[in-house]
């Protein structure tokens, strides 16, 4: 079965120039009508075209059988001689609707009102179609669609507004009207009101069965046992408000219980791991749940609560073997009531969502990103990179099958997880490596890879304050330290990292992807033994200063751990790429790497850094090839990206990323993608396309690395 957006494209290709359309649904009292008016006088397609386009795709995508749908549905207002209420289309919950509708309009006695009441009782969804590119979506909803929805006597009724491909979905609860997706409802003085500026994606369309069941989905459940993972909800952007509320409740409970600290953080991470394990290993009989009677305890010793705690402990015992790094130490004391309350809240808020069935983007942004941000450490520059930038960099570098990848400042493993997902599973977790200075961030990174990969990535923590500055992987994937020079031997001094007397070899990688700490505020001032480590870096010795931008150190680190023809993408301060103070770094980089692309990004696109970042993309040819490239004045792809699809704003003293959408310059309405979603106002997509075209004109090695 094809998706709505796929069918829409096909429909337009086949029928855009048709002079008429065969109406496959009843049109008021007519069956088999041929609609011959599909164009306006100026030659533009009219709303009749868009109506039949929508209904065709709606039926053909399997969302609803045609037996339940009618068009030009007329409802009498009840006053003799008054105008009819005319619904462009309607969905009823009974396929016998047409016989009742026919009776309504043919009966002459008062029994016709019984027919009208029957139709209202069975009116499930009202539809309105436009061909105006209307700016006044609110006006259309208020004056027309809301009126049509109000004709239904159901407690929950749905509304669809379709205007030149822009889709707006609504629901009513009694006489309260909202957008179907909670993310499009704003809270104002304790009340929720629909917004109208952003359209729904076509994937938000409910099926006939989902509409029928919608009224029961929010009813209280008293027993969550025996559920299958496929019965759980999928985390999507349409759940954003509801899920964000859930995340808030978890953090609020942690705060009340005095657990917004490392203890609470570790409990949260472990409970997330148990959730993933339960879905992957108990998919037909989930154990990760709490029933209302279990949560409503008065004493910890009560049987109901103890049943819940035993269930959670059973998951932990089984998961411990598989998730050693996260579960090796049990941070949860089931006799500590504060901790018990937090565990209850975490399970209660997550039990109705499936992590394993949810799309990576949505899960990443709404769960991993949110929690990682809450527990990031500003003093150590541990921050999450916006997903748009991660996606862009991975698309540019193009990781391939059997390639090894490292992020030396791994954070929550966003570069690794995105690389795996974008490869559609062709990359191997065993070839993924990461290092970080924070053990708790590594736990979250491991969790991320368990969910998005196969869980075999090698991600390690070095809490010595230096992390990957001092610690590397050997060719067996084990950790080794740089060896400073002594009076007798230079060892790893000045970049001689392969000069080891212990017989170990430094592991080299095909790809380095990293967003390390950078900028003046992140300068490194090594003292004591740290200064000996700094001298292992050639760039430190070249700068001949008492401090250095950490970005410079991580740049050299990235280059030195690359294989021949290995490629890297690193996010650094623009100053490293431009100002005289860093000319030594640039000279050194050009001496060792073939610079492929330099991408400048706007200032303040990271919530925590005030500097303008630059992405440097390069690969590492052998010496002879690099000399030939330099001799021939090789080209570098450069781009200044001004629009990234979001803006950093501060709300309630918390910095957040607010989505920015592309506007039509004539109508000032948000433009839509082929899937019906609003287009982001970003230049990443176009830049990737232009970069790929540019690559085709470059040397064979570059084309092989970045295109094939």
């Amino acid at each position: 079965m094809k998706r709505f957006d796929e069918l829409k494209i096909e429909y337009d290709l086949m029928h855009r120039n048709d002079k008429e359309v065969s109406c496959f649904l009843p049109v008021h009292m007519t069956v088999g009508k041929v609609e011959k008016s599909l164009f306006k006088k100026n030659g533009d397609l009219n709303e009749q075209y868009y109506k039949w386009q929508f209904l065709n795709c709606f039926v053909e995508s399997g969302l609803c059988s045609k037996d339940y749908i009618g068009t030009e549905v007329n409802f009498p207002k009840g006053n003799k001689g008054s105008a009819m209420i005319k619904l462009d289309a309607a969905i009823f919950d009974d396929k016998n609707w047409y016989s009742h509708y026919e009776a309504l309009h043919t009966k002459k006695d008062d029994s016709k009102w019984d027919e009208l009441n029957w139709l209202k009782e069975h009116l499930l969804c009202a539809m309105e179609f436009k061909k105006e590119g209307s700016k006044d979506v609110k006006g259309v909803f208020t004056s027309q669609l809301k009126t049509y929805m109000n004709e239904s006597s159901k407690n929950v009724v749905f509304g669809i507004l379709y205007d030149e491909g822009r889709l707006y979905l609504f629901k009513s609860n009694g006489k309260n009207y909202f957008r179907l997706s909670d993310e499009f409802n704003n809270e104002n003085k304790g009340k929720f009101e629909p917004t109208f500026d952003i359209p729904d994606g076509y994937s938000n369309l409910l099926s006939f069965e989902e509409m029928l069941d919608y009224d029961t989905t929010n009813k209280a459940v008293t027993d969550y046992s025996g559920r299958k993972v496929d019965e759980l909800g999928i985390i999507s952007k349409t759940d954003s408000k509801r899920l964000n509320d859930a995340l808030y409740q978890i953090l609020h409970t942690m705060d009340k219980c005095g657990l917004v600290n490392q203890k609470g953080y570790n409990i949260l991470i472990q409970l997330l791991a148990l959730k993933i394990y339960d879905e992957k290993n108990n998919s037909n009989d989930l154990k990760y749940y709490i029933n209302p009677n279990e949560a409503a305890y008065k004493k910890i010793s009560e049987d109901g609560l103890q049943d819940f705690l035993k269930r959670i402990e059973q998951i932990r015992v089984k998961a411990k073997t598989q998730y050693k790094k996260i579960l090796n130490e049990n941070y949860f004391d089931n006799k500590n009531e504060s901790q018990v309350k937090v565990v209850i809240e975490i399970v209660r808020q997550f039990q109705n969502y499936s992590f394993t069935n949810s799309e990576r983007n949505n899960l990443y942004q709404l769960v991993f990103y949110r929690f990682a941000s809450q527990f990031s450490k500003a003093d150590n520059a541990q921050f999450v990179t916006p997903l748009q930038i991660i996606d862009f960099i991975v698309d540019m570098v193009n990781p391939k099958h059997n390639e090894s990848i490292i992020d030396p400042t791994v954070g929550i493993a966003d570069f690794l997880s995105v690389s795996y997902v974008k490869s559609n599973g062709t990359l191997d977790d065993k070839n993924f490596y990461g290092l970080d200075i924070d053990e708790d961030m590594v736990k979250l990174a491991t969790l991320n890879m368990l969910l998005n990969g196969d869980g075999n990535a090698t991600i390690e923590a070095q809490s010595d304050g230096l992390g990957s500055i001092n610690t590397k992987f050997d060719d067996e994937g084990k950790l080794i330290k740089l060896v400073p020079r002594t009076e007798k031997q230079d060892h790893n001094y000045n970049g001689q990292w392969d000069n080891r007397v212990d017989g170990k070899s430094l592991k080299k990688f095909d790809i380095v992807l990293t967003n390390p700490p950078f900028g003046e505020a992140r300068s490194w001032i090594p003292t004591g033994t740290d200064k000996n480590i700094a001298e292992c870096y050639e760039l430190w010795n070249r700068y001949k200063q008492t401090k250095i931008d950490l970005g410079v150190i991580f740049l050299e680190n990235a280059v030195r751990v690359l294989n021949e023809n290995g490629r890297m993408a690193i996010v650094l301060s623009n100053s490293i790429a431009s100002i005289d103070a860093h000319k030594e770094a640039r000279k050194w980089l050009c001496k060792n790497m073939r610079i492929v692309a330099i991408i400048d990004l706007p200032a303040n696109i990271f919530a925590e850094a005030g500097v303008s970042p630059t992405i440097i993309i390069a690969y590492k040819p052998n010496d002879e090839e690099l000399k030939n490239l330099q001799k021939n004045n090789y080209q570098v792809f450069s781009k200044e990206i001004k629009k990234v699809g979001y803006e950093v704003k501060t709300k309630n003293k918390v910095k957040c990323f607010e989505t920015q959408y592309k506007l039509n310059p004539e109508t000032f309405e948000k433009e839509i993608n082929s899937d019906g979603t609003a287009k982001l106002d970003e230049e990443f997509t176009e830049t990737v396309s232009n970069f790929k075209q540019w690559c085709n004109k470059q040397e064979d090695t570059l084309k092989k690395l970045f295109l094939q």
Side-chain angles (χ1 to χ4, degrees):
M1 192 79 69
K2 292 184 178 179
R3 300 192 312 269
F4 183 97
D5 56 318
E6 295 173 322
L7 290 164
K8 180 177 175 294
I9 293 170
E10 291 181 4
Y11 186 94
D12 287 341
L13 288 171
M14 294 176 62
H15 301 292
R16 197 170 188 87
N17 296 315
D18 289 357
K19 303 298 182 184
E20 61 184 40
V21 61
S22 296
C23 303
F24 65 98
L25 299 170
V27 181
H28 183 41
M29 297 288 287
T30 304
V31 177
K33 181 180 177 180
V34 176
E35 178 60 64
K36 296 184 178 182
S37 177
L38 302 177
F39 296 89
K40 292 186 172 183
K41 290 182 179 180
N42 64 2
D44 291 342
L45 293 164
N46 65 16
E47 68 180 60
Q48 288 295 328
Y49 174 87
Y50 287 99
K51 177 173 74 175
W52 291 107
Q53 175 212 62
F54 177 90
L55 292 170
N56 181 280
C57 299
F58 191 68
V59 171
E60 290 298 316
S61 62
L63 289 168
C64 185
S65 167
K66 66 179 183 178
D67 296 334
Y68 298 91
I69 310 173
T71 70
E72 305 300 323
V73 175
N74 294 348
F75 280 178
K77 286 187 176 180
N79 298 323
K80 188 175 181 181
S82 61
M84 291 278 186
I85 295 175
K86 297 180 179 180
L87 286 67
D88 283 354
I91 302 173
F92 297 90
D93 64 8
D94 191 315
K95 65 174 57 178
N96 295 312
W97 73 270
Y98 188 75
S99 63
H100 292 274
Y101 184 77
E102 193 173 39
L104 168 66
H105 289 280
T106 56
K107 284 184 175 182
K108 303 296 184 182
D109 57 28
D110 287 346
S111 67
K112 70 178 184 180
W113 303 116
D114 294 331
E115 303 293 352
L116 178 61
N117 290 332
W118 187 95
L119 289 164
K120 289 185 175 186
E121 289 171 2
H122 293 271
L123 177 60
L124 186 62
C125 178
M127 305 184 199
E128 175 68 16
F129 300 95
K130 292 291 182 185
K131 202 287 175 186
E132 304 299 334
S134 177
K135 299 178 187 179
D136 190 20
V137 177
K138 182 178 181 180
V140 174
F141 171 73
T142 303
S143 64
Q144 294 179 265
L145 186 58
K146 185 176 176 180
T147 302
Y148 305 157
M149 293 170 66
N150 197 41
E151 287 296 297
S152 175
S153 54
K154 285 180 170 293
N155 186 53
V156 175
V157 64
F158 302 92
I160 296 174
L161 172 59
Y162 189 72
D163 186 357
E164 288 190 66
R166 294 187 305 153
L167 177 70
Y168 298 87
L169 303 175
F170 301 90
K171 63 183 176 185
S172 76
N173 184 3
K175 297 303 178 184
N176 298 313
Y177 296 87
F178 310 96
R179 293 286 295 277
L180 179 65
S181 301
D182 289 335
E183 65 178 319
F184 301 139
N185 296 308
N186 284 339
E187 186 175 2
N188 183 19
K189 298 181 180 179
K191 295 183 178 181
F192 290 96
E193 299 175 347
T195 62
F196 299 90
D197 59 331
I198 302 172
D200 282 273
Y202 301 141
S203 61
N204 289 356
L205 282 164
L206 296 178
S207 69
F208 178 74
E209 289 77 16
E210 287 171 327
M211 287 190 242
L212 286 179
D213 293 341
Y214 200 89
D215 199 12
T216 61
T217 55
N218 296 321
K219 289 183 178 179
V221 177
T222 58
D223 187 0
Y224 291 100
S225 64
R227 290 194 300 177
K228 299 179 179 179
V229 68
D230 291 340
E231 296 176 32
L232 303 183
I234 304 294
I235 296 173
S236 68
K237 290 182 179 179
T238 64
D239 300 316
S240 63
K241 186 185 185 304
R242 189 161 54 248
L243 187 58
N244 274 318
D245 287 345
L247 302 181
Y248 170 80
Q249 289 300 327
I250 291 172
L251 292 168
H252 182 63
T253 301
M254 293 173 70
D255 187 35
K256 286 198 311 182
C257 294
L259 284 167
V260 182
N261 51 34
Q262 291 305 110
K263 169 68 74 171
Y265 179 74
N266 280 306
I267 292 173
L268 172 62
I269 295 298
Q270 291 194 334
L271 265 292
L272 287 168
L274 298 187
K275 169 68 171 167
I276 294 169
Y277 179 88
D278 188 51
E279 289 191 26
K280 288 188 171 185
N281 295 273
N282 302 316
S283 61
N284 291 324
D285 187 13
L286 296 173
K287 308 298 183 185
Y288 190 97
Y289 67 87
I290 183 164
N291 286 323
N293 66 305
E294 296 171 336
Y297 73 96
K298 294 182 179 179
K299 296 181 180 179
I300 290 183
S301 59
E302 289 180 10
D303 291 344
L305 180 62
Q306 287 299 313
D307 288 342
F308 163 71
L309 294 174
K310 288 175 184 176
R311 234 175 13 255
I312 296 300
E313 177 61 17
Q314 287 170 357
I315 301 173
R316 193 191 73 82
V317 170
K318 291 181 179 179
K320 184 178 177 180
T321 303
Q322 193 169 338
Y323 300 171
K324 289 181 181 178
K325 191 169 293 182
I326 301 172
L327 300 174
N328 191 47
E329 181 179 353
N330 185 13
Y331 291 95
F332 171 47
D333 180 359
N334 61 15
K335 296 180 181 178
N336 183 306
E337 189 167 8
S338 292
Q339 295 183 24
V340 169
K341 287 180 178 178
V342 168
V343 170
I344 288 173
E345 193 64 33
I346 294 170
V347 174
R348 179 163 49 197
Q349 297 296 345
F350 285 149
Q351 64 184 343
N352 293 322
Y353 294 100
S354 170
F355 283 13
T356 57
N357 288 339
S358 297
E359 290 187 13
R360 182 267 311 172
N361 280 18
N362 298 322
L363 184 70
Y364 177 92
Q365 292 188 84
L366 295 175
V367 179
F368 284 94
Y369 190 93
R370 175 69 177 267
F371 282 129
S373 299
Q374 289 289 331
F375 292 94
S376 295
K377 295 182 179 177
D379 57 336
N380 289 329
Q382 296 171 354
F383 300 108
V384 180
T385 308
L387 190 61
Q388 295 92 330
I389 297 174
I390 300 290
D391 280 334
F392 171 69
I393 289 174
V394 172
D395 286 340
M396 293 283 282
V397 175
N398 186 32
K400 295 185 284 290
H401 181 59
N402 287 332
E403 289 189 315
S404 57
I405 306 175
I406 186 172
D407 184 349
T409 55
V410 73
I412 64 169
D414 36 21
F415 278 116
L416 303 183
S417 65
V418 170
S419 295
Y420 185 90
V421 172
K422 281 183 169 286
S423 77
N424 294 317
T426 60
L427 292 172
D428 191 340
D429 258 13
K430 293 179 181 178
N431 293 328
F432 286 11
Y433 291 78
L435 272 167
D436 202 273
I437 60 175
D438 189 330
E439 292 183 2
D440 293 319
M441 292 298 282
V442 165
K443 290 175 184 175
L444 196 55
T446 303
L447 193 68
N448 196 358
M449 293 308 299
L450 284 171
L451 184 61
N452 290 304
D454 57 28
N456 289 313
T458 302
I459 302 175
E460 302 289 350
Q462 282 294 296
S463 54
D464 57 1
L466 295 178
S468 60
I469 291 175
N470 185 29
T471 303
K472 317 296 174 184
F473 288 103
D474 67 14
D475 56 3
E476 295 181 351
K478 297 178 180 178
L479 298 180
I480 57 173
K481 303 279 188 179
L482 290 177
V483 183
R485 68 174 173 175
T486 63
E487 292 182 358
K488 295 183 179 181
Q489 291 194 48
D490 281 347
H491 295 296
N492 300 152
Y493 175 77
N494 205 40
Q496 302 178 74
W497 293 3
D498 294 315
N499 182 23
R500 302 189 64 91
V501 295
D502 56 9
K504 296 180 179 180
S505 299
L506 187 71
K507 185 173 181 62
K508 302 296 178 68
F509 297 88
D510 299 310
I511 296 173
V512 175
L513 302 174
T514 189
N515 179 16
F518 59 76
E520 186 65 27
R522 310 298 179 198
S523 291
W524 183 34
I525 309 174
T527 58
T529 57
D530 285 0
K531 191 173 181 181
N532 297 330
I533 301 301
E535 291 177 346
C536 293
Y537 287 81
E538 185 179 352
L539 284 173
W540 168 263
N541 299 323
R542 287 195 177 202
Y543 272 58
K544 299 178 181 179
Q545 297 175 359
T546 58
K547 67 176 183 179
I548 192 168
D549 188 324
L550 272 173
V552 173
I553 295 297
F554 282 110
L555 174 65
E556 181 174 343
N557 179 62
V559 172
R560 294 204 181 279
V561 300
L562 278 175
N563 281 319
E564 184 177 297
N565 284 336
R567 54 202 190 279
M568 79 171 184
I570 185 169
V571 184
L572 296 173
S573 166
N574 176 262
S575 63
I576 296 176
S578 59
I579 68 173
D580 285 347
H582 292 294
K583 62 182 180 182
E584 284 295 334
R586 295 193 297 276
K587 285 169 58 179
W588 182 89
L589 182 62
C590 291
K591 180 183 174 183
N592 289 276
M593 299 286 285
R594 193 286 198 210
I595 312 300
V596 175
I598 296 177
I599 313 293
D600 289 328
L601 300 173
N604 299 317
I605 66 166
F606 302 125
E608 305 81 13
V611 297
S612 299
T614 292
I615 303 169
I616 298 175
I617 299 173
Y619 79 89
K620 191 178 186 179
N622 60 49
D623 292 342
E624 185 177 350
E625 184 179 359
L626 184 56
K627 287 179 182 177
N628 288 332
L629 286 165
Q630 292 169 339
K631 183 179 178 181
N632 292 316
N633 295 316
Y634 66 77
Q635 295 181 348
V636 176
F637 179 89
S638 63
K639 170 71 176 180
E640 180 184 4
I641 290 179
K642 297 180 180 179
K643 298 176 180 179
V644 296
Y646 66 88
E647 183 178 357
V648 179
K649 292 194 173 181
T650 300
K651 294 183 178 179
N652 299 322
K653 299 181 180 181
V654 177
K655 288 187 177 180
C656 58
F657 299 101
E658 186 172 285
T659 305
Q660 302 292 303
Y661 296 98
K662 185 173 288 186
L663 300 179
N664 183 298
E666 294 181 357
T667 64
F668 297 101
E669 288 295 303
K670 292 178 177 61
E671 297 183 0
I672 61 172
N673 296 302
S674 60
D675 63 356
T677 56
K679 286 184 179 179
L680 295 178
D681 192 16
E682 52 85 13
E683 297 171 329
F684 292 129
T685 304
E686 183 182 8
T687 300
V688 172
S689 177
N690 292 339
F691 175 70
K692 301 296 184 185
Q693 294 175 26
W694 176 87
C695 287
N696 263 320
K697 301 176 183 178
Q698 307 309 310
E699 67 270 19
D700 289 343
T701 301
L702 189 151
K703 286 192 285 189
K704 181 180 179 181
L705 292 173
F706 289 90
L707 294 181
Q708 296 179 11

